[in-house]
C-alpha cells in the first residue's frame, strides 16, 4: 500500500507529524522542499480559525517573531495562510508560521521532577533568556509570557526563547487583558502589574524571568494556589520566600538577585535584562552584586490599598508585643540586645486609635465603592436606550480591497482607505494589512472603518543559483529583484566553481533581505588543490620553477647515495608526482649525490676472464656473449656501455667475446705475465739456441 502524500503549504512546506499542541496552535514537524531542511510549522487551530481575536493574535506573533534575529530566539523563516473548507462548506483561512526546528527539550521538561538544577546550569539557562530579552526589548518588544514551557534547551546546550504569541510593542503594552477580560499570560509567572491588568513593560518580563530562576534553583515556583486567581493574588500581595530557605546551598548573592527581580514595585527591579545578566555573571564568578540584601524585601509592609487581612496578626495578639518592621540581621536580636522593651500604655492606646481609624476608613471606602457601583448601574440603565448600537468589526486582513469593502459594508460600517500604504511580507500588494478599529473590536454601526493597504513586501529573497554565474549575470539577477550587487576583492578557492565565477554570496541565496540591500559576491580563485608535477631527473632550480607554476613551493631538500640518477638530479618527491596537494603546500625532494657512479674500465683486447674480473671489481655486472670475430678466441671484442663512461654501480655491461678464427684450433689466449729481467733474458737465450738448431 502506498504511503499517503504529505500535505504541502505554499507549494514547498511538507506538513508531517504533530509534535506539539497549545491553547492556540498546533506544531507539526515539517520539511522545506526548496531548501531541503527540516522545519517546524505552527498552525492556528481549526476550531479557532473563525475567531478574529485569535486570528489577530496569531498574525501578530508571526510579525513579532519574524522581526527578531538572535541566536537565543527561535527563528521564523516564513509565514502564510492556507484556505480550507469546514464541515459547512465555508472557506476558512488558517494562518501558519514556518519556524526553525529545534532539537532538544523545554525547561518545563527539565524541572518536571520537582528537583532543583545545579546552580551553574540555572544561571546559564536564565542568562540565555536574558540575552534574548535584552535583544527583544531593544527592538521595543515585550514577550509577556516568559515561562519554562517557552524556553528550549537544544541538544548542544543552547538556550532558545520561543512563542511570541502575546508579545506586544512597548508602546502598546497596556493591553494586558484580552477582549474577554482574561489575563494574558500564565498565572504562575505573571508579574504583579499583569495580574492587576495594568500596563506592562520590559521589567514585567524580568519579573517572570525571576520566577523561572526561582523555580530552577528550588524545584518549585514561589507561589502555589488552588486556582489561577489565587496564585495571581499572591503575586500581587505576598512576598516570595527567600530561595535559600528552600534549598540551603544557594549563595546569598544569588538570593539577592532573585529577590530584586521579584520586587512588587517594578521601579525596584532591574532596569534592564542586561543589568540582571551582569549581576548573574558576577554571582558565577564569586563577585559582589548590585542587588540589595534580602532583608530589604522581607521587611516591606503591605500597601494601604491591600486588605486588612494582609496586616500581621502579631500586631493584635498581645498588647505588650512589638511589631518588628525589619527582621534582625545576624548578630542582632534578643541574643545580642536582650528582650525587646515593653511599650508604654500611652503607645498602646495610640496604636489602638490608629487601628480604629484604619478600620473606619476601610469601611467608609467599601461603602463609597458600593454606592459608586450602584449609581453607575442606575445611570447606565437610565441611558441604555440612548446609546448607539455597536457591532463587531469584521477581520478583513489579507482580503483584497473589493472583498474587504463588501465585508465591512455588509456589517453596517462605512468603508475608507488610508492615504499611506505600508510594506508587508505576508500580505499581497493592494490587500488589507490592518484596519482602524481593528477586526474583532466593537464599533458604532455606521462608523468609518479605515483600511491600510499593503505596498508589497518590504523584503525580497536573494535569487537562487547565483553560485556558478558570471559576475555580470549575477548582477543582472540581483538587480532584477530590487537589490544591489557588489563584487568583493577577496576571492575564495573552489573545486566546484571555475575561476572567475561566483563561488559565494552574502547574504546567502534564498534568504530574505530588505529591498535595496546589497548582495556581495565572492569570485572563485579556482581549485584549492593541484596535482604535484613529476620532478624526477630535474635539477633543484628546475623543480622550484615547476612547483611555483602550479602554486606549490619547494620544501626540504635532502641527498641520497643510493640513487641511480646522475649527480644533482631529483630522485623522487614527497608528495609523489600525480598526487593532490593544497595550493601553497611545500613539496620535499630527494637529490642524487652522484656517489653511486663508477667509470667503465678498459677491457677490450683482454681475455674474457680478465674483463669479467675488472668489471665486477668496480661494481658492474658483466653480461658475456660469444660472437664471430677474427680476433683470437676468448679475447674481448667490444663492450656496451663503452669504456670510460660513468654509470651507476650495478649497471649491466654487455661484453662481446671472440669465438676465434674459423672455429679451428683455439688460439691461446694471450696472457699478460709480469717477468723479471732475468727471466726474460733466459727465455731469449732459449729462443736463440733453438733457432740455431
Amino acid at each position: 500500500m502506498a504511503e499517503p502524500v504529505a500535505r504541502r503549504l505554499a507549494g514547498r512546506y511538507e506538513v508531517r507529524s504533530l509534535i506539539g499542541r497549545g491553547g492556540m496552535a498546533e506544531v507539526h514537524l515539517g520539511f522545506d522542499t526548496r531548501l531541503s531542511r527540516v522545519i517546524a510549522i505552527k498552525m492556528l487551530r481549526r476550531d479557532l480559525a473563525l475567531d478574529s481575536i485569535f486570528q489577530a493574535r496569531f498574525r501578530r506573533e508571526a510579525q513579532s517573531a519574524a522581526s527578531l534575529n538572535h541566536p537565543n530566539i527561535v527563528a521564523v523563516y516564513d509565514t502564510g495562510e492556507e484556505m480550507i473548507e469546514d464541515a459547512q462548506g465555508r472557506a476558512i483561512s488558517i494562518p501558519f508560521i514556518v519556524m526553525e526546528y529545534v532539537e532538544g527539550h523545554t525547561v518545563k521538561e527539565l524541572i518536571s521532577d520537582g528537583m532543583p538544577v545545579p546552580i551553574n546550569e540555572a544561571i546559564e539557562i536564565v542568562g540565555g533568556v536574558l540575552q534574548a530579552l535584552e535583544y527583544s526589548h531593544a527592538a521595543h518588544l515585550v514577550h509577556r509570557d516568559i515561562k519554562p514551557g517557552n524556553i528550549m534547551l537544544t541538544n548542544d546546550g543552547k538556550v532558545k526563547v520561543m512563542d511570541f504569541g502575546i508579545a506586544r510593542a512597548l508602546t502598546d503594552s497596556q493591553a494586558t487583558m484580552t477582549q474577554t477580560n482574561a489575563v494574558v499570560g500564565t498565572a504562575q509567572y505573571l508579574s504583579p502589574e499583569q495580574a492587576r491588568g495594568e500596563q506592562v513593560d520590559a521589567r514585567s518580563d524580568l519579573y517572570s524571568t525571576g520566577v523561572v530562576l526561582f523555580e530552577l534553583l528550588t524545584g518549585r515556583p514561589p507561589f502555589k494556589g488552588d486556582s489561577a486567581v489565587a496564585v495571581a493574588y499572591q503575586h500581587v500581595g505576598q512576598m516570595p520566600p527567600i530561595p535559600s530557605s528552600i534549598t540551603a546551598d544557594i549563595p546569598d548573592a544569588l538570593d539577592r538577585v532573585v529577590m530584586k527581580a521579584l520586587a512588587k514595585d517594578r521601579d525596584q527591579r532591574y532596569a534592564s535584562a542586561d543589568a540582571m545578566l551582569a549581576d548573574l555573571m558576577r554571582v558565577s564568578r564569586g563577585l559582589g552584586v548590585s542587588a540589595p540584601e534580602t532583608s530589604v524585601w522581607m521587611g516591606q509592609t503591605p500597601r494601604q490599598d491591600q486588605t486588612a487581612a494582609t496586616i500581621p496578626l502579631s500586631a493584635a495578639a498581645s498588647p505588650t508585643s512589638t511589631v518588628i518592621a525589619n527582621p534582625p540581621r545576624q548578630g542582632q536580636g534578643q541574643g545580642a540586645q536582650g528582650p525587646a522593651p515593653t511599650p508604654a500604655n500611652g503607645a498602646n492606646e495610640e496604636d489602638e486609635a490608629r487601628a480604629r481609624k484604619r478600620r473606619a476608613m476601610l469601611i467608609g471606602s467599601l461603602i463609597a465603592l458600593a454606592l459608586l457601583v450602584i449609581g453607575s448601574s442606575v445611570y447606565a440603565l437610565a441611558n441604555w436606550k440612548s446609546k448607539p448600537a455597536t457591532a463587531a468589526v469584521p477581520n478583513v486582513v489579507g482580503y483584497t480591497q473589493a472583498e474587504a469593502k463588501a465585508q465591512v459594508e455588509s456589517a453596517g460600517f462605512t468603508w475608507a482607505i488610508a492615504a499611506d500604504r505600508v510594506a508587508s511580507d505576508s500580505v499581497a500588494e493592494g490587500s488589507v494589512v490592518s484596519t482602524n478599529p481593528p477586526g474583532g473590536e466593537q464599533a458604532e454601526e455606521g462608523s468609518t472603518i479605515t483600511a491600510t493597504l499593503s505596498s508589497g513586501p518590504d523584503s525580497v529573497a536573494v535569487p537562487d543559483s547565483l553560485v556558478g554565474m558570471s559576475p555580470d549575470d549575477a548582477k543582472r539577477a540581483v538587480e532584477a529583484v530590487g537589490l544591489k550587487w557588489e563584487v568583493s576583492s577577496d576571492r575564495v578557492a573552489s573545486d566546484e566553481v571555475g575561476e572567475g565565477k561566483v563561488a559565494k554570496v552574502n547574504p546567502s541565496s534564498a534568504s530574505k533581505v530588505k529591498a535595496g540591500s546589497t548582495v556581495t559576491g565572492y569570485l572563485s580563485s579556482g581549485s584549492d588543490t593541484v596535482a604535484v608535477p613529476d620532478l624526477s631527473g630535474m635539477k633543484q632550480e628546475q623543480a622550484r620553477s615547476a612547483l611555483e607554476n602550479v602554486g606549490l613551493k619547494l620544501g626540504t631538500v635532502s641527498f641520497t647515495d643510493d640513487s641511480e640518477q646522475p649527480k644533482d638530479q631529483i630522485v623522487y618527491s614527497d608528495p609523489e608526482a600525480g598526487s593532490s596537494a593544497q595550493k601553497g603546500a611545500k613539496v620535499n625532494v630527494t637529490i642524487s649525490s652522484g656517489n653511486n657512479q663508477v667509470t667503465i674500465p678498459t677491457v677490450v683486447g683482454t681475455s674474457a676472464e680478465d674483463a669479467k674480473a675488472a668489471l665486477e671489481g668496480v661494481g658492474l655486472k658483466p653480461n658475456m656473449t660469444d660472437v664471430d670475430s677474427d680476433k683470437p678466441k676468448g679475447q674481448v671484442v667490444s663492450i656496451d656501455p663503452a669504456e670510460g663512461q660513468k654509470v651507476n654501480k650495478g649497471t649491466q655491461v654487455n661484453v662481446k667475446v671472440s669465438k676465434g678464427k674459423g672455429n679451428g684450433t683455439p688460439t691461446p689466449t694471450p696472457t699478460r705475465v709480469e717477468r723479471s729481467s732475468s727471466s726474460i733474458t733466459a727465455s731469449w737465450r732459449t729462443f736463440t739456441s733453438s733457432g740455431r738448431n
Side-chain angles (χ1 to χ4, degrees):
M1 183 177 176
E3 295 184 359
V5 178
R7 178 175 153 212
R8 283 198 182 188
L9 304 176
R12 64 182 287 191
Y13 305 117
E14 290 184 356
V15 182
R16 298 181 176 178
S17 59
L18 180 69
I19 58 177
R21 180 182 283 110
M24 187 174 70
E26 295 177 341
V27 181
H28 291 260
L29 184 68
F31 185 76
D32 185 345
T33 59
R34 182 178 298 174
L35 299 179
S36 299
R37 64 180 176 188
V38 179
I39 54 173
I41 304 174
K42 188 173 185 177
M43 306 179 69
L44 183 65
R45 284 170 35 188
R46 293 194 179 193
D47 58 319
L48 303 176
L50 292 175
D51 191 313
S52 59
I53 295 174
F54 283 102
Q55 285 264 8
R57 274 185 61 186
F58 195 90
R59 291 190 179 96
R60 186 168 65 245
E61 173 180 2
Q63 294 169 357
S64 300
S67 66
L68 302 176
N69 183 16
H70 190 272
N72 293 116
I73 297 175
V74 175
V76 170
Y77 299 141
D78 196 7
T79 62
E81 297 191 14
E82 183 189 38
M83 298 301 297
I84 64 170
E85 285 189 2
D86 63 4
Q88 289 74 38
R90 295 176 298 180
I92 303 175
S93 175
I94 305 292
F96 63 86
I97 304 172
V98 181
M99 305 182 300
E100 171 189 9
Y101 175 66
V102 181
E103 291 189 278
H105 57 274
T106 65
V107 172
K108 182 179 180 180
E109 296 172 89
L110 177 67
I111 59 178
S112 60
D113 58 358
M115 298 296 293
V117 304
I119 290 175
N120 288 340
E121 186 176 349
I123 291 175
E124 185 176 354
I125 292 171
V126 173
V129 174
L130 290 171
Q131 291 181 63
L133 290 177
E134 180 66 22
Y135 177 82
S136 69
H137 294 166
H140 306 290
L141 198 68
V142 184
H143 189 285
R144 303 202 306 166
D145 197 20
I146 295 294
K147 60 183 180 181
N150 283 339
I151 305 169
M152 287 289 298
L153 302 178
T154 68
N155 291 338
D156 56 356
K158 295 179 181 176
V159 178
K160 296 238 182 214
V161 178
M162 60 182 181
D163 197 359
F164 279 76
I166 61 173
R168 285 288 186 97
L170 287 166
T171 56
D172 191 31
S173 295
Q174 68 271 18
T176 302
M177 309 294 277
T178 67
Q179 295 293 332
T180 57
N181 290 328
V183 176
V184 174
T186 306
Q188 286 282 19
Y189 309 93
L190 282 180
S191 66
E193 55 270 21
Q194 282 178 287
R196 291 193 295 266
E198 299 174 355
Q199 182 177 352
V200 303
D201 59 19
R203 294 167 295 180
S204 303
D205 282 347
L206 301 186
Y207 182 95
S208 301
T209 305
V211 177
V212 173
L213 178 57
F214 186 106
E215 191 168 3
L216 286 168
L217 294 172
T218 64
R220 48 152 286 187
F223 302 115
K224 294 182 178 180
D226 297 332
S227 66
V229 174
V231 175
Y233 179 82
Q234 294 176 72
H235 279 292
V236 173
Q238 293 186 20
M239 292 301 299
I242 297 174
S244 61
S245 67
I246 302 171
T247 307
D249 64 343
I250 298 174
D252 175 69
L254 194 52
D255 275 339
R256 291 161 65 175
V257 172
V258 174
M259 298 304 289
K260 182 176 177 67
L262 296 180
K264 302 300 181 190
D265 185 351
R266 72 182 88 184
D267 290 334
Q268 295 180 322
R269 297 175 206 153
Y270 288 99
S272 67
D274 193 48
M276 184 174 174
L277 178 61
D279 257 6
L280 277 180
M281 293 301 98
R282 292 189 190 100
V283 172
S284 66
R285 294 192 294 268
L287 304 176
V289 297
S290 64
E293 296 181 3
T294 56
S295 59
V296 171
W297 314 110
M298 302 311 295
Q300 288 186 346
T301 57
R303 298 192 333 223
Q304 290 186 357
D305 61 352
Q306 297 173 3
T307 65
T310 62
I311 299 174
L313 296 176
S314 58
S318 171
T320 60
S321 64
T322 299
V323 180
I324 302 175
N326 293 290
R329 299 181 183 180
Q330 188 176 2
Q332 297 180 347
Q334 293 184 0
Q337 302 292 337
T342 301
N345 291 335
N348 287 335
E349 292 175 358
E350 291 177 3
D351 290 342
E352 285 292 334
R354 283 196 293 269
R356 287 194 298 270
K357 185 177 180 181
R358 284 196 297 270
R359 285 195 291 271
M361 290 176 63
L362 177 61
I363 293 170
S365 298
L366 292 174
I367 293 172
L369 180 60
L371 291 173
L372 178 62
V373 172
I374 294 171
S376 299
S377 300
V378 171
Y379 179 82
L381 289 171
N383 292 277
W384 178 75
K385 291 185 179 180
S386 64
K387 288 186 177 180
T390 62
V393 177
N395 183 18
V396 294
V397 173
Y399 287 34
T400 64
Q401 294 185 52
E403 294 170 340
K405 182 180 180 184
Q407 289 281 334
V408 168
E409 291 180 346
S410 65
F413 298 101
T414 301
W415 170 258
I417 299 175
D420 296 328
R421 295 192 174 193
V422 297
S424 174
D425 293 333
S426 58
V427 178
E429 184 178 358
S431 295
V432 178
V433 174
S434 64
T435 59
N436 184 27
E441 288 192 2
Q442 294 290 319
E444 293 181 9
E445 292 184 359
S447 61
T448 299
I449 308 299
T450 303
T452 300
L453 304 181
S454 170
S455 60
D458 187 35
S459 61
V460 295
V462 178
D464 288 333
S465 306
L466 293 176
V467 173
M469 287 186 178
S470 69
D472 292 339
D473 289 343
K475 182 174 186 288
R476 283 190 288 269
V478 167
E479 291 179 347
V481 297
L483 300 174
K484 299 177 182 177
W485 171 257
E486 70 173 14
V487 176
S488 173
S489 58
D490 297 330
R491 296 204 169 196
V492 296
S494 175
D495 294 331
E496 292 80 24
V497 180
E499 186 176 358
K501 302 286 187 179
V502 178
K504 185 180 75 170
V505 291
N506 184 32
S508 59
S509 293
S511 62
K512 287 192 174 182
V513 297
K514 286 196 173 188
S517 298
T518 298
V519 178
T520 303
Y522 297 83
L523 304 185
S524 170
S525 60
S527 177
D528 195 32
T529 61
V530 294
V532 178
D534 187 0
L535 307 177
S536 180
M538 292 185 182
K539 298 289 183 75
Q540 182 174 328
E541 290 306 314
Q542 292 174 318
R544 188 191 305 277
S545 178
L547 291 172
E548 290 176 350
N549 287 339
V550 297
L552 301 175
K553 298 178 180 178
L554 181 64
T556 303
V557 178
S558 57
F559 294 86
T560 179
D561 293 336
D562 297 330
S563 172
E564 297 179 357
Q565 294 277 52
K567 184 180 181 182
D568 296 333
Q569 289 188 3
I570 292 176
V571 180
Y572 52 83
S573 64
D574 181 25
E576 63 184 8
S579 60
S580 296
Q582 294 286 328
K583 282 187 177 180
K586 292 183 178 180
V587 178
N588 304 321
V589 297
T590 301
I591 297 177
S592 172
S593 63
N595 295 333
N596 198 37
Q597 292 191 323
V598 296
T599 303
I600 296 178
T602 301
V603 295
V604 175
T606 66
S607 67
E609 290 81 2
D610 289 346
K612 182 177 181 182
L615 292 171
E616 290 178 342
V618 296
L620 301 175
K621 296 179 180 180
N623 180 31
M624 318 298 289
T625 305
D626 293 333
V627 297
D628 293 331
S629 173
D630 58 355
K631 299 292 183 182
K633 184 179 180 181
Q635 183 176 331
V636 175
V637 177
S638 65
I639 61 172
D640 183 31
E643 298 170 337
Q645 287 190 17
K646 287 189 175 185
V647 295
N648 293 323
K649 289 181 180 179
T651 300
Q652 179 177 291
V653 179
N654 297 315
V655 182
K656 293 182 179 180
V657 182
S658 175
K659 295 180 180 180
K661 296 180 180 180
N663 295 326
T665 303
T667 302
T669 302
T671 57
R672 297 183 182 186
V673 181
E674 293 184 6
R675 298 182 175 94
S676 65
S677 58
S678 59
S679 299
I680 295 172
T681 303
S683 298
W684 173 255
R685 287 175 179 170
T686 302
F687 171 75
T688 53
S689 299
S690 300
R692 287 173 183 171
N693 292 331

